PDB file of all heavy atoms in Angstrom:
ATOM      1  N   PHE A   1       0.844  -1.202   0.009  1.00 86.00           N
ATOM      2  CA  PHE A   1      -0.006   0.005   0.007  1.00 86.00           C
ATOM      3  C   PHE A   1       0.874   1.293  -0.042  1.00 86.00           C
ATOM      4  O   PHE A   1       0.627   2.237  -0.798  1.00 86.00           O
ATOM      5  CB  PHE A   1      -0.932  -0.041   1.253  1.00 86.00           C
ATOM      6  CG  PHE A   1      -1.720   1.265   1.380  1.00 86.00           C
ATOM      7  CD1 PHE A   1      -2.725   1.608   0.546  1.00 86.00           C
ATOM      8  CD2 PHE A   1      -1.454   2.073   2.441  1.00 86.00           C
ATOM      9  CE1 PHE A   1      -3.532   2.736   0.703  1.00 86.00           C
ATOM     10  CE2 PHE A   1      -2.170   3.306   2.631  1.00 86.00           C
ATOM     11  CZ  PHE A   1      -3.208   3.567   1.748  1.00 86.00           C
ATOM     12  N   GLU A   2       1.917   1.280   0.820  1.00 84.00           N
ATOM     13  CA  GLU A   2       2.816   2.408   0.880  1.00 84.00           C
ATOM     14  C   GLU A   2       3.503   2.646  -0.450  1.00 84.00           C
ATOM     15  O   GLU A   2       3.610   3.748  -0.896  1.00 84.00           O
ATOM     16  CB  GLU A   2       3.823   2.208   2.007  1.00 84.00           C
ATOM     17  CG  GLU A   2       4.780   3.355   2.165  1.00 84.00           C
ATOM     18  CD  GLU A   2       5.833   3.111   3.278  1.00 84.00           C
ATOM     19  OE1 GLU A   2       5.837   2.014   3.811  1.00 84.00           O
ATOM     20  OE2 GLU A   2       6.610   4.055   3.556  1.00 84.00           O
ATOM     21  N   ARG A   3       3.884   1.534  -1.071  1.00 82.00           N
ATOM     22  CA  ARG A   3       4.587   1.713  -2.372  1.00 82.00           C
ATOM     23  C   ARG A   3       3.642   2.244  -3.449  1.00 82.00           C
ATOM     24  O   ARG A   3       4.004   3.079  -4.232  1.00 82.00           O
ATOM     25  CB  ARG A   3       5.146   0.326  -2.826  1.00 82.00           C
ATOM     26  CG  ARG A   3       6.144   0.436  -3.891  1.00 82.00           C
ATOM     27  CD  ARG A   3       6.943  -0.861  -4.153  1.00 82.00           C
ATOM     28  NE  ARG A   3       6.168  -2.060  -4.266  1.00 82.00           N
ATOM     29  CZ  ARG A   3       6.135  -3.021  -3.417  1.00 82.00           C
ATOM     30  NH1 ARG A   3       6.784  -2.945  -2.315  1.00 82.00           N
ATOM     31  NH2 ARG A   3       5.444  -4.119  -3.638  1.00 82.00           N
ATOM     32  N   SER A   4       2.358   1.881  -3.350  1.00 88.00           N
ATOM     33  CA  SER A   4       1.386   2.393  -4.293  1.00 88.00           C
ATOM     34  C   SER A   4       1.135   3.913  -4.060  1.00 88.00           C
ATOM     35  O   SER A   4       0.991   4.675  -4.991  1.00 88.00           O
ATOM     36  CB  SER A   4      -0.014   1.691  -4.095  1.00 88.00           C
ATOM     37  OG  SER A   4       0.116   0.317  -4.487  1.00 88.00           O
ATOM     38  N   LEU A   5       1.097   4.263  -2.803  1.00 91.00           N
ATOM     39  CA  LEU A   5       0.979   5.718  -2.515  1.00 91.00           C
ATOM     40  C   LEU A   5       2.144   6.549  -3.032  1.00 91.00           C
ATOM     41  O   LEU A   5       1.999   7.631  -3.617  1.00 91.00           O
ATOM     42  CB  LEU A   5       0.852   5.963  -0.981  1.00 91.00           C
ATOM     43  CG  LEU A   5      -0.404   5.545  -0.342  1.00 91.00           C
ATOM     44  CD1 LEU A   5      -0.375   5.845   1.138  1.00 91.00           C
ATOM     45  CD2 LEU A   5      -1.604   6.305  -0.939  1.00 91.00           C
ATOM     46  N   ILE A   6       3.339   5.989  -2.920  1.00 91.00           N
ATOM     47  CA  ILE A   6       4.513   6.681  -3.421  1.00 91.00           C
ATOM     48  C   ILE A   6       4.497   6.810  -4.890  1.00 91.00           C
ATOM     49  O   ILE A   6       4.735   7.845  -5.470  1.00 91.00           O
ATOM     50  CB  ILE A   6       5.785   5.952  -2.965  1.00 91.00           C
ATOM     51  CG1 ILE A   6       5.980   6.090  -1.444  1.00 91.00           C
ATOM     52  CG2 ILE A   6       7.053   6.465  -3.682  1.00 91.00           C
ATOM     53  CD1 ILE A   6       7.099   5.157  -0.882  1.00 91.00           C
ATOM     54  N   ARG A   7       3.998   5.761  -5.592  1.00 93.00           N
ATOM     55  CA  ARG A   7       3.915   5.774  -7.050  1.00 93.00           C
ATOM     56  C   ARG A   7       2.871   6.831  -7.491  1.00 93.00           C
ATOM     57  O   ARG A   7       3.127   7.583  -8.451  1.00 93.00           O
ATOM     58  CB  ARG A   7       3.511   4.423  -7.536  1.00 93.00           C
ATOM     59  CG  ARG A   7       3.542   4.304  -9.089  1.00 93.00           C
ATOM     60  CD  ARG A   7       3.135   2.902  -9.551  1.00 93.00           C
ATOM     61  NE  ARG A   7       3.795   1.818  -8.907  1.00 93.00           N
ATOM     62  CZ  ARG A   7       3.148   0.851  -8.197  1.00 93.00           C
ATOM     63  NH1 ARG A   7       1.865   0.793  -8.212  1.00 93.00           N
ATOM     64  NH2 ARG A   7       3.831  -0.090  -7.581  1.00 93.00           N
ATOM     65  N   GLU A   8       1.746   6.904  -6.770  1.00 96.00           N
ATOM     66  CA  GLU A   8       0.761   7.922  -7.119  1.00 96.00           C
ATOM     67  C   GLU A   8       1.152   9.290  -6.912  1.00 96.00           C
ATOM     68  O   GLU A   8       0.981  10.242  -7.737  1.00 96.00           O
ATOM     69  CB  GLU A   8      -0.540   7.660  -6.257  1.00 96.00           C
ATOM     70  CG  GLU A   8      -1.363   6.471  -6.710  1.00 96.00           C
ATOM     71  CD  GLU A   8      -2.544   6.253  -5.811  1.00 96.00           C
ATOM     72  OE1 GLU A   8      -2.906   7.064  -4.936  1.00 96.00           O
ATOM     73  OE2 GLU A   8      -3.131   5.157  -5.896  1.00 96.00           O
ATOM     74  N   ARG A   9       1.909   9.543  -5.740  1.00 96.00           N
ATOM     75  CA  ARG A   9       2.457  10.920  -5.524  1.00 96.00           C
ATOM     76  C   ARG A   9       3.455  11.308  -6.597  1.00 96.00           C
ATOM     77  O   ARG A   9       3.485  12.501  -6.992  1.00 96.00           O
ATOM     78  CB  ARG A   9       3.083  10.929  -4.103  1.00 96.00           C
ATOM     79  CG  ARG A   9       2.034  10.914  -2.949  1.00 96.00           C
ATOM     80  CD  ARG A   9       2.773  10.971  -1.627  1.00 96.00           C
ATOM     81  NE  ARG A   9       1.866  10.567  -0.625  1.00 96.00           N
ATOM     82  CZ  ARG A   9       2.199   9.762   0.377  1.00 96.00           C
ATOM     83  NH1 ARG A   9       3.425   9.270   0.421  1.00 96.00           N
ATOM     84  NH2 ARG A   9       1.351   9.431   1.321  1.00 96.00           N
ATOM     85  N   THR A  10       4.299  10.417  -6.949  1.00 95.00           N
ATOM     86  CA  THR A  10       5.304  10.744  -7.960  1.00 95.00           C
ATOM     87  C   THR A  10       4.668  11.039  -9.264  1.00 95.00           C
ATOM     88  O   THR A  10       5.053  12.082  -9.884  1.00 95.00           O
ATOM     89  CB  THR A  10       6.234   9.514  -8.144  1.00 95.00           C
ATOM     90  OG1 THR A  10       6.906   9.179  -6.895  1.00 95.00           O
ATOM     91  CG2 THR A  10       7.330   9.780  -9.161  1.00 95.00           C
ATOM     92  N   LYS A  11       3.687  10.302  -9.644  1.00 96.00           N
ATOM     93  CA  LYS A  11       2.969  10.535 -10.890  1.00 96.00           C
ATOM     94  C   LYS A  11       2.222  11.883 -10.852  1.00 96.00           C
ATOM     95  O   LYS A  11       2.283  12.651 -11.815  1.00 96.00           O
ATOM     96  CB  LYS A  11       1.934   9.428 -11.194  1.00 96.00           C
ATOM     97  CG  LYS A  11       1.298   9.478 -12.528  1.00 96.00           C
ATOM     98  CD  LYS A  11       0.381   8.318 -12.746  1.00 96.00           C
ATOM     99  CE  LYS A  11      -0.290   8.328 -14.094  1.00 96.00           C
ATOM    100  NZ  LYS A  11      -1.162   7.176 -14.306  1.00 96.00           N
ATOM    101  N   ALA A  12       1.628  12.229  -9.668  1.00 96.00           N
ATOM    102  CA  ALA A  12       0.927  13.484  -9.594  1.00 96.00           C
ATOM    103  C   ALA A  12       1.940  14.652  -9.622  1.00 96.00           C
ATOM    104  O   ALA A  12       1.652  15.696 -10.217  1.00 96.00           O
ATOM    105  CB  ALA A  12       0.152  13.546  -8.257  1.00 96.00           C
ATOM    106  N   GLY A  13       3.112  14.498  -9.061  1.00 94.00           N
ATOM    107  CA  GLY A  13       4.145  15.521  -9.060  1.00 94.00           C
ATOM    108  C   GLY A  13       4.646  15.746 -10.455  1.00 94.00           C
ATOM    109  O   GLY A  13       4.865  16.922 -10.895  1.00 94.00           O
ATOM    110  N   LEU A  14       4.829  14.676 -11.261  1.00 93.00           N
ATOM    111  CA  LEU A  14       5.282  14.837 -12.637  1.00 93.00           C
ATOM    112  C   LEU A  14       4.235  15.483 -13.454  1.00 93.00           C
ATOM    113  O   LEU A  14       4.477  16.351 -14.358  1.00 93.00           O
ATOM    114  CB  LEU A  14       5.604  13.499 -13.216  1.00 93.00           C
ATOM    115  CG  LEU A  14       6.899  12.796 -12.681  1.00 93.00           C
ATOM    116  CD1 LEU A  14       6.997  11.363 -13.138  1.00 93.00           C
ATOM    117  CD2 LEU A  14       8.113  13.595 -13.061  1.00 93.00           C
ATOM    118  N   GLU A  15       2.989  15.126 -13.256  1.00 94.00           N
ATOM    119  CA  GLU A  15       1.880  15.811 -14.040  1.00 94.00           C
ATOM    120  C   GLU A  15       1.773  17.259 -13.659  1.00 94.00           C
ATOM    121  O   GLU A  15       1.502  18.144 -14.582  1.00 94.00           O
ATOM    122  CB  GLU A  15       0.494  15.102 -13.713  1.00 94.00           C
ATOM    123  CG  GLU A  15       0.438  13.694 -14.367  1.00 94.00           C
ATOM    124  CD  GLU A  15      -0.764  12.947 -14.045  1.00 94.00           C
ATOM    125  OE1 GLU A  15      -1.597  13.431 -13.202  1.00 94.00           O
ATOM    126  OE2 GLU A  15      -0.917  11.835 -14.503  1.00 94.00           O
ATOM    127  N   ALA A  16       1.923  17.633 -12.427  1.00 95.00           N
ATOM    128  CA  ALA A  16       1.900  19.023 -12.036  1.00 95.00           C
ATOM    129  C   ALA A  16       2.987  19.830 -12.651  1.00 95.00           C
ATOM    130  O   ALA A  16       2.837  20.932 -13.092  1.00 95.00           O
ATOM    131  CB  ALA A  16       1.941  19.130 -10.421  1.00 95.00           C
ATOM    132  N   ALA A  17       4.205  19.236 -12.655  1.00 94.00           N
ATOM    133  CA  ALA A  17       5.415  19.915 -13.237  1.00 94.00           C
ATOM    134  C   ALA A  17       5.136  20.088 -14.695  1.00 94.00           C
ATOM    135  O   ALA A  17       5.436  21.164 -15.342  1.00 94.00           O
ATOM    136  CB  ALA A  17       6.634  19.146 -13.012  1.00 94.00           C
ATOM    137  N   LYS A  18       4.562  19.115 -15.407  1.00 92.00           N
ATOM    138  CA  LYS A  18       4.280  19.200 -16.840  1.00 92.00           C
ATOM    139  C   LYS A  18       3.224  20.320 -17.096  1.00 92.00           C
ATOM    140  O   LYS A  18       3.342  21.067 -18.065  1.00 92.00           O
ATOM    141  CB  LYS A  18       3.791  17.882 -17.340  1.00 92.00           C
ATOM    142  CG  LYS A  18       3.668  17.820 -18.809  1.00 92.00           C
ATOM    143  CD  LYS A  18       3.306  16.407 -19.283  1.00 92.00           C
ATOM    144  CE  LYS A  18       3.257  16.304 -20.800  1.00 92.00           C
ATOM    145  NZ  LYS A  18       2.891  15.026 -21.304  1.00 92.00           N
ATOM    146  N   ALA A  19       2.224  20.432 -16.213  1.00 94.00           N
ATOM    147  CA  ALA A  19       1.203  21.437 -16.402  1.00 94.00           C
ATOM    148  C   ALA A  19       1.802  22.830 -16.233  1.00 94.00           C
ATOM    149  O   ALA A  19       1.275  23.831 -16.781  1.00 94.00           O
ATOM    150  CB  ALA A  19       0.094  21.229 -15.334  1.00 94.00           C
ATOM    151  N   GLN A  20       2.845  22.947 -15.440  1.00 95.00           N
ATOM    152  CA  GLN A  20       3.541  24.246 -15.263  1.00 95.00           C
ATOM    153  C   GLN A  20       4.554  24.522 -16.374  1.00 95.00           C
ATOM    154  O   GLN A  20       5.231  25.513 -16.288  1.00 95.00           O
ATOM    155  CB  GLN A  20       4.273  24.289 -13.948  1.00 95.00           C
ATOM    156  CG  GLN A  20       3.290  24.224 -12.730  1.00 95.00           C
ATOM    157  CD  GLN A  20       4.000  24.128 -11.434  1.00 95.00           C
ATOM    158  OE1 GLN A  20       5.221  24.035 -11.385  1.00 95.00           O
ATOM    159  NE2 GLN A  20       3.252  24.079 -10.339  1.00 95.00           N
ATOM    160  N   GLY A  21       4.689  23.632 -17.330  1.00 92.00           N
ATOM    161  CA  GLY A  21       5.602  23.863 -18.408  1.00 92.00           C
ATOM    162  C   GLY A  21       6.956  23.249 -18.269  1.00 92.00           C
ATOM    163  O   GLY A  21       7.831  23.450 -19.112  1.00 92.00           O
ATOM    164  N   ARG A  22       7.215  22.602 -17.153  1.00 90.00           N
ATOM    165  CA  ARG A  22       8.514  22.015 -16.941  1.00 90.00           C
ATOM    166  C   ARG A  22       8.592  20.576 -17.509  1.00 90.00           C
ATOM    167  O   ARG A  22       7.584  19.885 -17.375  1.00 90.00           O
ATOM    168  CB  ARG A  22       8.867  21.983 -15.428  1.00 90.00           C
ATOM    169  CG  ARG A  22       9.037  23.368 -14.876  1.00 90.00           C
ATOM    170  CD  ARG A  22       9.410  23.280 -13.426  1.00 90.00           C
ATOM    171  NE  ARG A  22       8.204  22.902 -12.678  1.00 90.00           N
ATOM    172  CZ  ARG A  22       8.208  22.566 -11.420  1.00 90.00           C
ATOM    173  NH1 ARG A  22       9.304  22.543 -10.714  1.00 90.00           N
ATOM    174  NH2 ARG A  22       7.076  22.191 -10.839  1.00 90.00           N
ATOM    175  N   THR A  23       9.658  20.233 -18.103  1.00 84.00           N
ATOM    176  CA  THR A  23       9.846  18.928 -18.632  1.00 84.00           C
ATOM    177  C   THR A  23      11.040  18.274 -18.054  1.00 84.00           C
ATOM    178  O   THR A  23      12.001  18.967 -17.663  1.00 84.00           O
ATOM    179  CB  THR A  23       9.999  18.931 -20.173  1.00 84.00           C
ATOM    180  OG1 THR A  23      11.140  19.724 -20.459  1.00 84.00           O
ATOM    181  CG2 THR A  23       8.766  19.479 -20.864  1.00 84.00           C
ATOM    182  N   GLY A  24      11.021  16.984 -17.907  1.00 84.00           N
ATOM    183  CA  GLY A  24      12.143  16.269 -17.351  1.00 84.00           C
ATOM    184  C   GLY A  24      13.156  15.829 -18.418  1.00 84.00           C
ATOM    185  O   GLY A  24      12.940  16.112 -19.598  1.00 84.00           O
ATOM    186  N   GLY A  25      14.141  15.185 -17.970  1.00 85.00           N
ATOM    187  CA  GLY A  25      15.147  14.621 -18.894  1.00 85.00           C
ATOM    188  C   GLY A  25      16.247  15.626 -19.236  1.00 85.00           C
ATOM    189  O   GLY A  25      16.311  16.736 -18.777  1.00 85.00           O
TER     190      GLY A  25
END
């Protein structure tokens, strides 16, 4: 369960960064 929460938070953080115009890599 904890690992699933971490995965969801990471995904949400990446989506928020993308919405702000930031890209990774």
Side-chain angles (χ1 to χ4, degrees):
F1 174 69
E2 182 180 4
R3 196 167 51 251
S4 295
L5 287 178
I6 291 169
R7 189 179 313 122
E8 286 177 13
R9 288 183 195 133
T10 301
K11 188 175 180 182
L14 290 171
E15 288 173 0
K18 189 175 182 179
Q20 294 173 359
R22 292 181 287 171
T23 57

